[in-house]
Amino acid sequence: MSIFRAGLALVFLLVMTNQSFAQAISKDYQKNCAREQVAEHQGIKGKTLTEEDFTAYCACQADFISKNASNRQVNELVMNPKAKPEWLKTLESKAIKACIADPKMST
């Protein structure tokens, strides 16, 4: 029975660690995302856009990537949040489609 408890404790620890990594990737990723979006959309709509204008979109994209990246990929981003590996570009492309289609993303 003690082996079962030890195994259960280990699984719980791994789940919690993965959530911590997902949260870390989410915060750093959202900051970088917002900066990139402001730069890409400069001058659009005749007004100055700020990072806050992209908060919901970048949160959606970070959540999508956190849920769809492997543990190795999440670790890679935690170690280097500004990295843009090929797998991330692929996930970002899918996230863009999912987040823009989200009814909460209105302009």
Side-chain angles (χ1 to χ4, degrees):
M1 195 60 132
S2 64
I3 294 175
F4 175 73
R5 287 183 185 168
L8 188 58
L10 180 62
V11 168
F12 178 76
L13 180 64
L14 290 173
V15 167
M16 294 308 292
T17 302
N18 194 34
Q19 284 182 333
S20 297
F21 281 151
Q23 290 171 352
I25 183 181
S26 182
K27 288 178 184 177
D28 290 336
Y29 185 85
Q30 286 180 47
K31 288 178 187 176
N32 291 334
C33 171
R35 286 185 202 118
E36 289 173 7
Q37 292 300 317
V38 168
E40 287 179 21
H41 294 89
Q42 217 169 17
I44 293 178
K45 291 190 177 184
K47 69 174 190 169
T48 303
L49 296 171
T50 65
E51 291 181 15
E52 289 80 33
D53 295 319
F54 297 99
T55 301
Y57 171 77
C58 290
C60 176
Q61 194 166 345
D63 185 53
F64 183 93
I65 290 170
S66 293
K67 288 179 180 175
N68 291 286
S70 70
N71 288 340
R72 180 189 59 78
Q73 291 168 329
V74 169
N75 289 338
E76 185 178 341
L77 283 183
V78 168
M79 298 304 254
N80 188 359
K82 293 186 179 182
K84 288 284 189 177
E86 203 57 43
W87 63 264
L88 180 59
K89 293 175 187 175
T90 302
L91 276 180
E92 283 178 333
S93 177
K94 292 177 183 178
I96 288 169
K97 293 173 188 168
C99 292
I100 289 178
D102 188 338
K104 293 181 272 185
M105 299 296 136
S106 61
T107 55

